[in-house]
């Protein structure tokens, strides 16, 4: 069932109770009754759960029975259930783009819990705005583009390897890019895994080997992703493959070259506890099984300087003339499995790390106790290489702290320490072990049993973190000073060695990956998924998925589970072989276009072609356009129409919200990916703020033209907010820089014509910054409280003339 402009508008409004008057403050019945009074509304009902099967069935039946040609659902955020209700409309024969959503849960009910009257009035406004926009919706047809059946995986840890194998086994071509000389990641450095106490490398090595010999997997180690362009199904990725200076195919990993290499450097894989040569392999089970030369350490191939490895290599696999390569890959999907870094506890000066030899980190402990490590699996303390008789573990170093390190729980530290304590007890049962902790978090399958087992083995647990660690200079022992919070007593215990259980954190290059793929990150620095419950491995950027610790701290089991989920999601896309492009792209009217080229200059995707010199009108490459709308806001002739987010629809929403009490309201233009999502996050977190704000969703803040802002002021609003992604974090590459330029121009214009520019605010709010969004509205409430009726009337008079 499709409509045209001549047809009578017949709108159905459905107000959902779920999460509203059950756990919120909106009178849904009153909102539904109000909606029934709006022009063109034929049906208005309130449902308990509109997204349930019965709720969707009612919408389908009403579309047929009442000949509805527009649907409005007032419930939660469109970022959650818009696809659900669009499918409902489509199943009833209605074009899915004739559906609109009013967010009266996240943006209203949950953030105004103690103000039912104003929350209900705001919900009515949001429904009125949705109905006003729905009247102007038009059927859209989504273009189809082919999907390249290849995947790029960034990160070769256990998560990246698992995703690669899952996809390769489905006969998809996979490029596995790893920055280190070998795949394996952090798991390769660990001795045993919890709770089963399996040998870590014994589990991992077969998977590494399988990935290395799989015909559908191309492993690119010592490589970095440098550029990503394109869109879902059709990404073009440039990868810098650094020269290895050793031919991977010829090298047999015999090790003869290392025997003659005169250079010794700290071994990164052993966390500096052992040495390596300038030519080396990271560890015995490395994949690819080939040596690599670190040219920063190498003395060179000038014979008088060295050249010993070249002379020793019988296979002639060493080639100092190798050059870095730029590989250009065409892929349809991307999986981010970039892993984690380990926290450096140096800033905890009271613990003496790097000052006292016998204070080590949990990762250093893993290498010491590993049979393939620098001590051959013998637990020794670094100062004198003796077996320690008393060992202390200190928990939450770099985790759960708001002043240093990271405020979040790193998930794996408690169980890792419990595992390590049992490893010591297995080989040296007489060793005394004490663990200083805040809370022991043993929530997983088999975790509590392991915890109890360690206590049964004699491991002692003291609730309270050390205030200080002091070294005894006579024997290099360590005195730990701590308060036992269960007894309130200060303790001083002497140990041979102290292990700091350090937390995990996002990789240092996460910001680069974020920029290349236009992703969001939480305030903790991990990548933010599209939805934490319904799309836990999908990125907001379509066609990009997360695996392992890139999305948040997790153990090996959860990393592998998520890796398989990410592979499944990517496989679903590629299996179909084509994907529909959401019909939100720009359309250019050649009769109105004057070929000025301003649209092409601001387009972040170079999706607009225009010949300024020969006055050939601009044209949009639909498959490349992401629908940010920056071009539409920039066009001086009104020649550009943003499908599904037209100027007329935005004006209609402004007009609807300003019909009554405009002088008490804030009109907020919020970008879909960050600031609108940040307002959603405020709702989910129940962060309270004033009810004056009315949000208009745009795909990007770059869509907001000067005319939208001035129209809102002309309609009598007290203040306007334009909110977008942080600069350099824009989901449309750099479109929000145009927002910044536009608002700065507007401030100058308002100041020049005598309008208080403070009434126009610009805010950068990420999807994780619900509190920042709420604080912005609180500050704007203070501003509008000072705006007088006379000032608003003067503003209207100035703008009308």
């Amino acid at each position: 069932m499709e409509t045209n402009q001549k047809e009578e508008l017949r709108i159905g409004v459905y107000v959902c109770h779920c999460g509203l008057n059950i756990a919120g403050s909106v009178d849904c019945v009153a909102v539904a009754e109000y909606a029934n009074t709006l022009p063109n509304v034929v049906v208005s009902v309130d449902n308990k759960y509109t997204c349930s099967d019965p709720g969707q069935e009612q919408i389908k039946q009403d579309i047929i029975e009442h000949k509805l040609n527009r649907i409005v659902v007032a419930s939660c955020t469109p970022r959650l259930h818009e696809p659900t209700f669009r499918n409902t409309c489509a199943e009833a024969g209605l074009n899915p783009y004739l559906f609109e959503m009013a967010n009266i849960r996240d943006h209203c009910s949950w953030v105004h819990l103690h103000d039912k009257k104003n929350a209900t009035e705001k919900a009515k406004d949001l429904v009125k705005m949705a109905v006003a926009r729905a009247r102007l919706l038009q059927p859209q047809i989504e273009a189809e583009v082919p999907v390249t059946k290849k995947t790029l995986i960034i990160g070769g840890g256990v998560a990246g390897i698992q995703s690669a194998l899952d996809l390769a086994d489905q006969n998809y071509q996979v490029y596995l890019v790893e920055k280190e000389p070998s795949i394996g990641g952090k798991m390769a450095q660990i001795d045993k895994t919890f709770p089963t106490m399996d040998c870590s490398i014994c589990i991992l090595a077969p998977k590494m080997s399988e990935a290395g010999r799989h015909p559908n997997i191309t492993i690119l180690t010592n490589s970095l992703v440098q550029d990503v362009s394109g869109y879902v199904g059709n990404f073009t990725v440039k990868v810098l493959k650094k020269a290895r200076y050793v031919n991977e195919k010829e090298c047999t990993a015999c090790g003869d070259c290392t025997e003659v290499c005169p250079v010794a450097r700290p071994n990164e894989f052993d966390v500096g506890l052992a040495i390596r040569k300038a030519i080396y392999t990271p560890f015995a089970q490395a994949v690819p099984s080939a040596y690599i030369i670190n040219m920063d350490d190498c003395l060179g191939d000038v014979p008088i300087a060295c050249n010993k490895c070249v002379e020793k290599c019988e296979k002639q696999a060493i080639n100092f003339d190798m050059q870095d390569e730029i590989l250009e890959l065409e892929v349809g999907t991307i999986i981010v499995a970039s892993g984690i870094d380990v926290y450096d506890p140096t800033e905890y000066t009271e613990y003496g790390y790097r000052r006292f030899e016998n204070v080590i980190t949990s990762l250093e402990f893993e290498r010491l106790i590993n049979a393939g490590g620098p001590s051959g699996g013998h637990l020794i303390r670094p100062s004198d290489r003796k077996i320690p008789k008393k060992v202390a573990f200190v928990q939450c170093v770099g985790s759960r702290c708001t002043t240093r390190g990271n405020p979040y729980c790193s998930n794996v530290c408690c169980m890792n320490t419990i595992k390590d304590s049992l490893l010591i007890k297995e080989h040296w049962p007489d060793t005394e072990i004490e663990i200083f902790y805040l809370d022991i978090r043993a929530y997983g399958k088999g975790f509590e049993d392991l915890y109890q087992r360690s206590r049964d083995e004699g491991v002692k647990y003291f609730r309270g973190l050390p205030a200080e660690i002091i070294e005894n200079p006579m024997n290099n022992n360590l005195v730990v000073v701590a308060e036992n919070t269960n007894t309130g007593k200060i303790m001083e215990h002497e140990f041979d060695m102290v292990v700091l259980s350090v937390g995990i954190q996002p990789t240092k290059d996460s910001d680069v990956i974020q920029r290349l793929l236009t992703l969001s990150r939480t305030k903790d620095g991990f990548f933010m998924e599209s939805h934490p419950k319904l799309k836990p491995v999908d990125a907001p950027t379509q066609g990009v998925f997360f695996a392992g610790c890139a999305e948040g701290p997790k153990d090996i089991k959860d990393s592998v589970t998520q890796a398989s989920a990410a592979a499944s999601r990517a496989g679903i896309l590629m299996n179909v072989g084509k994907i529909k492009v959401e019909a939100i792209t720009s359309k250019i009217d050649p009769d109105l276009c004057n070929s000025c080229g301003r649209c092409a200059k601001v387009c972040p995707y170079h999706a607009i072609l225009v010949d300024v010199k020969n006055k050939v009108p601009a044209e949009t490459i639909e498959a490349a356009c992401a629908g940010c709308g920056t071009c539409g806001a920039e066009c001086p002739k009104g020649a550009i129409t943003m499908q599904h987010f037209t100027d007329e629809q935005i004006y209609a929403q402004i007009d609807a919200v300003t019909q009554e009490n405009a002088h008490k309201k804030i009109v907020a233009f919020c970008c879909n990916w960050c600031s609108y999502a940040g307002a959603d996050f405020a709702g989910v977190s129940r962060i309270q703020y004033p009810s004056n704000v009315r949000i208009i969703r745009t795909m990007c803040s770059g869509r907001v033209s000067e005319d939208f802002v001035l129209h809102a002021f002309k309609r009598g609003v007290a203040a306007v907010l334009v909110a977008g992604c942080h600069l350099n974090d824009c989901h449309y590459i750099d479109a929000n820089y145009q927002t910044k330029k536009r608002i700065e121009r507007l401030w100058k214009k308002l100041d020049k014509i005598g309008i208080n520019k403070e009434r126009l605010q610009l805010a950068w709010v990420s999807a994780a910054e619900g509190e920042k969004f709420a604080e912005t509205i609180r500050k704007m409430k203070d501003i509008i409280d000072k705006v007088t009726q006379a000032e608003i009337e003067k503003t209207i008079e100035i703008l009308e003339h």
Side-chain angles (χ1 to χ4, degrees):
M1 181 193 301
E2 295 196 353
T3 65
N4 56 55
Q5 291 179 331
K6 295 181 180 179
E7 283 185 303
E8 176 192 2
L9 290 172
R10 300 180 65 82
I11 302 174
V13 178
Y14 300 84
V15 182
C16 181
H17 286 240
C18 177
L20 300 175
N21 64 353
I22 295 172
S25 58
V26 169
D27 184 341
C28 296
V29 175
V31 173
E33 290 174 351
Y34 171 77
N36 212 28
T37 67
L38 298 173
N40 307 114
V41 174
V42 177
V43 175
S44 179
V45 297
D46 57 285
N47 285 330
K48 191 172 183 180
Y49 300 106
T50 308
C51 60
S52 65
D53 286 345
Q56 294 182 60
E57 284 302 318
Q58 181 177 9
I59 294 175
K60 294 177 189 177
Q61 291 170 11
D62 288 349
I63 289 173
I64 296 169
E65 181 181 344
H66 298 283
K67 298 181 180 178
L68 302 179
N69 50 36
R70 301 290 188 282
I71 298 296
V72 172
V73 172
S75 60
C76 56
T77 171
R79 299 179 76 253
L80 175 60
H81 274 314
E82 186 175 58
T84 301
F85 293 116
R86 279 186 175 181
N87 289 338
T88 301
C89 293
E91 289 170 5
L94 187 67
N95 187 287
Y97 284 85
L98 300 178
F99 166 78
E100 174 63 1
M101 219 166 168
N103 190 349
I104 65 172
R105 185 191 74 175
D106 304 63
H107 291 183
C108 187
S109 178
W110 282 353
V111 292
H112 311 309
L113 289 171
H114 313 297
D115 190 3
K116 186 169 185 176
K117 179 183 176 182
N118 285 325
T120 301
E121 291 305 309
K122 180 178 177 179
K124 291 177 182 178
D125 266 1
L126 296 181
V127 169
K128 187 199 302 185
M129 292 163 66
V131 169
R133 182 169 188 263
R135 293 191 192 104
L136 296 169
L137 294 176
Q138 291 297 314
Q140 304 291 345
I141 298 174
E142 295 181 335
E144 289 186 344
V145 296
V147 175
T148 303
K149 295 190 176 185
K150 297 179 181 180
T151 297
L152 173 83
I153 299 177
I154 303 174
V158 66
I161 292 169
Q162 184 66 46
S163 291
L165 289 171
D166 284 356
L167 286 166
D169 287 343
Q170 297 176 58
N171 210 30
Y172 295 117
Q173 184 66 42
V174 178
Y175 299 103
L176 183 58
V177 178
E178 169 56 48
K179 63 185 177 183
E180 299 297 334
S182 168
I183 60 174
K186 286 292 184 289
M187 185 177 173
Q189 293 177 278
I190 296 170
D191 183 43
K192 300 288 192 298
T193 67
F194 59 81
T196 54
M197 308 296 282
D198 301 79
C199 168
S200 180
I201 198 67
C202 299
I203 300 170
L204 182 63
K207 281 190 172 292
M208 293 168 59
S209 298
E210 187 180 353
R213 63 173 179 266
H214 203 295
N216 292 331
I217 298 176
T218 301
I219 294 178
L220 302 172
T221 53
N222 206 36
S223 301
L224 296 169
V225 176
Q226 282 204 320
D227 184 60
V228 179
S229 59
Y231 45 90
V232 56
N234 298 269
F235 294 108
T236 299
V237 182
K238 290 182 180 178
V239 176
L240 170 64
K241 183 173 173 56
K242 297 179 182 178
R244 197 177 185 98
Y245 303 104
V246 177
N247 188 322
E248 294 177 28
K249 295 179 181 178
E250 294 295 329
C251 179
T252 61
C254 64
D256 290 348
C257 52
T258 61
E259 294 177 3
V260 297
C261 178
V263 178
R265 292 289 183 270
N267 188 335
E268 296 85 355
F269 186 79
D270 283 323
V271 208
L273 296 174
I275 61 170
R276 62 162 175 81
K277 298 301 182 73
I279 184 168
Y280 68 101
T281 185
F283 54 101
Q285 301 86 353
V287 173
S289 182
Y291 277 65
I292 183 172
I293 297 176
N294 186 319
M295 292 304 291
D296 292 333
D297 302 328
C298 183
L299 298 178
D301 62 337
V302 179
I304 195 170
C306 188
N307 209 42
K308 292 178 180 177
C309 59
V310 176
E311 295 169 354
K312 189 69 174 179
C313 183
E314 294 182 1
K315 288 286 186 177
Q316 297 183 335
I318 299 170
N319 180 4
F320 284 104
D321 294 326
M322 276 189 179
Q323 299 293 319
D324 295 349
E325 298 177 73
I326 296 291
L327 307 178
E328 192 166 289
L329 311 176
E330 303 290 337
V331 298
T333 55
I334 297 173
I335 293 176
V336 179
S338 49
I340 47 94
D341 284 337
V342 176
Y343 175 72
D344 181 350
T346 304
E347 64 178 328
Y348 280 76
T349 54
E350 66 271 29
Y351 290 168
Y353 180 68
R354 296 192 190 279
R355 287 191 294 123
F356 307 146
E357 281 188 89
N358 295 327
V359 176
I360 64 173
T361 67
S362 46
L363 184 58
E364 290 168 344
F365 176 87
E366 292 285 347
R367 295 312 303 154
L368 280 177
I369 207 167
N370 191 297
S375 63
H378 296 286
L379 179 63
I380 58 173
R381 66 179 198 163
S383 66
D384 54 16
R385 302 182 68 83
K386 292 181 179 179
I387 297 174
K389 291 182 169 53
K390 288 190 69 176
V391 178
F393 287 86
V394 180
Q395 296 306 107
C396 295
V397 180
S399 301
R400 302 180 66 195
C401 181
T402 56
T403 57
R404 291 176 296 183
N406 302 297
Y408 54 84
C409 172
S410 291
N411 190 306
V412 299
C413 313
C414 287
M415 293 309 303
N416 194 64
T417 291
I418 292 168
K419 174 204 73 177
D420 288 343
S421 70
L422 286 169
L423 287 177
I424 295 174
K425 285 291 186 180
E426 281 180 4
H427 298 283
W428 300 277
D430 294 332
T431 305
E432 294 181 38
I433 301 173
E434 295 181 12
I435 297 174
F436 296 85
Y437 71 98
L438 279 174
D439 301 287
I440 293 295
R441 299 186 169 183
Y443 69 93
K445 183 178 180 181
F447 289 7
E448 185 69 20
D449 292 341
L450 203 69
Y451 170 55
Q452 290 300 332
R453 181 179 152 195
S454 76
R455 295 183 74 96
D456 293 341
E457 292 285 343
V459 177
K460 296 178 182 178
Y461 289 80
F462 291 96
R463 194 175 190 279
L465 297 181
E468 189 178 14
I469 296 176
I470 304 167
E471 185 182 58
N472 183 339
M474 302 298 294
N475 56 14
N476 295 121
N477 283 356
L478 302 159
V479 178
V480 175
V481 181
E483 178 189 3
N484 187 329
T485 58
N486 288 330
T487 64
K489 294 182 179 180
I490 303 296
M491 305 181 303
E492 288 191 12
H493 292 192
E494 186 168 322
F495 298 94
D496 298 318
M497 187 165 72
V498 174
V499 181
L500 304 181
S501 186
V502 291
I504 56 179
Q505 57 193 25
T507 57
K508 292 181 179 67
D509 52 5
S510 291
D511 56 339
V512 177
I513 297 171
Q514 178 186 14
R515 175 178 54 80
L516 291 175
L517 298 175
T518 58
L519 304 174
S520 292
R521 288 199 286 172
T522 66
K523 62 182 180 180
D524 297 329
F526 294 98
F527 293 115
M528 178 174 281
E529 62 276 60
S530 183
H531 190 276
K533 300 292 189 296
L534 302 182
K535 291 184 176 180
V537 300
D538 292 48
T541 300
Q542 198 174 4
V544 179
F545 306 93
F546 299 129
C549 292
E551 178 265 333
K554 53 181 64 70
D555 63 13
I556 293 167
K557 176 186 173 182
D558 287 346
S559 293
V560 170
T561 301
Q562 194 181 52
S564 290
S568 176
R569 294 290 290 163
I572 290 170
L573 266 181
M574 294 187 291
N575 182 56
V576 177
K578 59 184 178 181
I579 191 169
K580 291 184 176 180
V581 177
E582 192 174 3
I584 58 173
T585 55
S586 64
K587 295 287 186 182
I588 302 175
D589 185 340
D591 295 331
L592 294 177
C593 178
N594 67 350
S595 309
C596 67
R598 285 170 61 176
C599 55
K601 287 180 181 178
V602 301
C603 178
Y605 295 94
H606 307 293
I608 297 178
L609 301 177
V610 59
D611 189 340
V612 177
K613 185 177 180 180
N614 295 311
K615 291 297 179 181
V616 178
E619 180 183 0
T620 300
I621 305 170
E622 189 172 13
C625 176
C628 67
T630 309
C631 59
E634 197 71 17
C635 180
K637 294 295 183 179
I640 298 177
T641 299
M642 295 308 304
Q643 295 183 102
H644 202 57
F645 285 92
T646 66
D647 289 5
E648 292 76 17
Q649 291 165 6
I650 293 173
Y651 284 128
Q653 291 176 88
I654 297 170
D655 292 344
V657 77
T658 54
Q659 282 180 0
E660 299 176 16
N661 299 315
H663 64 288
K664 297 180 180 179
K665 296 173 182 175
I666 303 164
V667 169
F669 299 98
C670 295
C671 76
N672 176 72
W673 300 108
C674 276
S675 56
Y676 190 94
D680 285 349
F681 191 70
V684 171
S685 305
R686 310 299 197 275
I687 299 172
Q688 305 299 293
Y689 56 81
S691 60
N692 306 68
V693 65
R694 306 291 187 267
I695 294 176
I696 295 174
R697 179 172 69 123
T698 61
M699 292 309 292
C700 177
S701 61
R703 174 71 181 99
V704 183
S705 70
E706 294 183 19
D707 290 341
F708 295 162
V709 175
L710 296 176
H711 185 73
F713 281 130
K714 194 185 295 185
R715 292 283 299 179
V717 297
V720 174
L721 169 66
V722 178
C725 308
H726 287 276
L727 295 173
N728 300 320
D729 289 346
C730 183
H731 275 75
Y732 299 98
I733 305 175
D734 59 0
N736 57 357
Y737 274 95
Q738 304 305 322
T739 309
K740 182 174 181 288
K741 291 177 183 177
R742 206 170 291 137
I743 297 303
E744 287 172 348
R745 285 199 304 265
L746 258 175
W747 278 330
K748 291 179 182 178
K749 183 180 292 186
L750 293 175
D751 202 34
K752 187 176 181 180
I753 62 179
I755 298 174
N756 181 7
K757 66 180 183 181
E758 278 196 357
R759 292 169 59 193
L760 170 61
Q761 291 288 312
L762 174 64
W764 309 120
V765 180
S766 79
E769 293 178 319
E771 178 55 48
K772 183 175 182 181
F773 180 85
E775 182 59 28
T776 300
I777 302 306
R778 293 186 201 111
K779 289 179 179 177
M780 291 192 71
K781 174 65 164 57
D782 293 338
I783 292 173
I784 68 173
D785 284 345
K786 298 174 185 176
V787 178
T788 64
Q789 184 63 39
E791 185 178 352
I792 288 175
E793 290 174 0
K794 181 184 176 183
T795 298
I796 295 172
E797 182 181 354
I798 290 171
L799 293 175
E800 284 183 343
H801 292 87

